[in-house]
Amino acid sequence: MGYKVCLDAGHYGKYNRSPVVREYYESDFTWKFTLYEAEELEKYGIQVVLTRNIKDNDLALVERGKKSKGCDIFISNHSNACSSETVDHPSVIYPVPYKDTNVERNRQLATLIADNIQRTLGTKEKGKVYSKVETYDRNKNGIKNDDEYYGVLHGAQLVNTPYRLIVEHGFHTNTATAKKLLDDNIIRVLAHKEANAIAVFLGCEQIEIPDVTTPTIVYTVVKGDSLGKIANNFNTTVAEILELNPSIKNANMIYVGQKLNVPSFLEGRVDDVTHIVKKGETLSSIAKLYGTTYIKLALINKIANPSKISVGQVIKLK
């Protein structure tokens, strides 16, 4: 069976600038991500419809949802924002009960996508899924509590698209997430993982396509390390590290000197924004620990000769 998915890049032009990473605009991310996601879905033989073909074209929210007429799935891509730097999770909004809508199956797809985003970005909090009802009879059918609060979902409801979601890829008011959503490598991996989740949901998993490998670096285990601590330092999860290191049979048994693959795009979580130089370390080895380069560290710390650092020296990481 041929499936058809409608993708909506939330917002147009230059919209929703991150207050903590000023290079980030939600509209730039959603446009690039949506194009990558379309490319990945087409590898599964899934037909893709875009709500608009030019980034700077505007289209009313309800009309964007209506563009999904005749499609199996409608997805509107976004990132989220709030007043707190610490909020760090993806959210996926699924439909309210309406006619023949299978709310439970929509919730399952929402959960599948939210879990994939959380694992890929390594957000500190688990993904959240929910629906939101409008307080008035928006679809004018005389029935209460079956009206979508969000305009794009209302439009998709009006044309009876079976599966319709808004996907919020984390909070761009969180520095770590905003930086990741600026990284082209991460965006490509994220698009691949989400497309795979959609394909599996639709039953297209039997089609084999090349996997997109998560960029990694090699981390050397030091005294006092555990997988949980390492995952925390690199803003990832133990599950992600285990996936990248299939030779580990027991998550509680790692040893000093062991070499581990860890996601390189997940910069070391710098709750401590400094690193104290230890014996045997070089600026290059320190840079690798935090997924950056010795050149960046040299510039940040105004180090004229990167080959000359000393034990006990404080290195700023950002």
Side-chain angles (χ1 to χ4, degrees), residues 75-218:
I75 292 179
S76 185
N77 289 314
H78 296 263
S79 59
N80 214 334
C82 68
S83 59
S84 172
E85 161 81 18
T86 60
V87 178
D88 189 22
H89 63 79
S91 305
V92 183
I93 304 159
Y94 61 88
V96 300
Y98 174 77
K99 287 187 178 179
D100 298 324
T101 300
N102 189 329
V103 175
E104 179 56 25
R105 283 285 284 162
N106 270 276
R107 189 191 65 78
Q108 289 171 2
L109 177 58
T111 302
L112 189 61
I113 291 175
D115 287 348
N116 268 272
I117 298 171
Q118 195 277 324
R119 286 197 300 270
T120 303
L121 294 183
T123 59
K124 298 174 188 175
E125 302 165 327
K126 290 187 67 174
K128 298 182 180 181
V129 298
Y130 63 94
S131 57
K132 188 170 183 178
V133 180
E134 183 52 89
T135 56
Y136 68 95
D137 186 11
R138 189 171 193 174
N139 57 30
K140 298 182 174 58
N141 65 352
I143 301 174
K144 292 183 178 180
N145 299 322
D146 73 344
D147 300 278
E148 294 289 354
Y149 174 85
Y150 297 97
V152 288
L153 294 187
H154 173 60
Q157 181 193 79
L158 292 178
V159 295
N160 298 307
T161 304
Y163 302 104
R164 43 193 187 270
L165 306 173
I166 296 174
V167 180
E168 303 274 11
H169 297 79
F171 283 77
H172 59 252
T173 42
N174 177 282
T175 299
T177 294
K179 285 182 177 179
K180 293 168 194 172
L181 296 181
L182 268 174
D183 189 312
D184 194 67
N185 286 330
I186 299 176
I187 298 173
R188 283 186 177 276
V189 172
L190 193 58
H192 172 80
K193 298 290 187 183
E194 286 190 42
N196 179 257
I198 293 166
V200 169
F201 178 81
L202 291 175
C204 302
E205 69 273 23
Q206 72 278 6
I207 300 176
E208 293 185 7
I209 64 171
D211 194 14
V212 173
T213 304
T214 301
T216 62
I217 60 170
V218 176

Side-chain angles (χ1 to χ4, degrees), residues 259-271:
K259 306 291 186 182
L260 300 179
N261 294 315
V262 295
S264 66
F265 55 70
L266 303 177
E267 293 183 6
R269 214 192 88 208
V270 229
D271 283 343

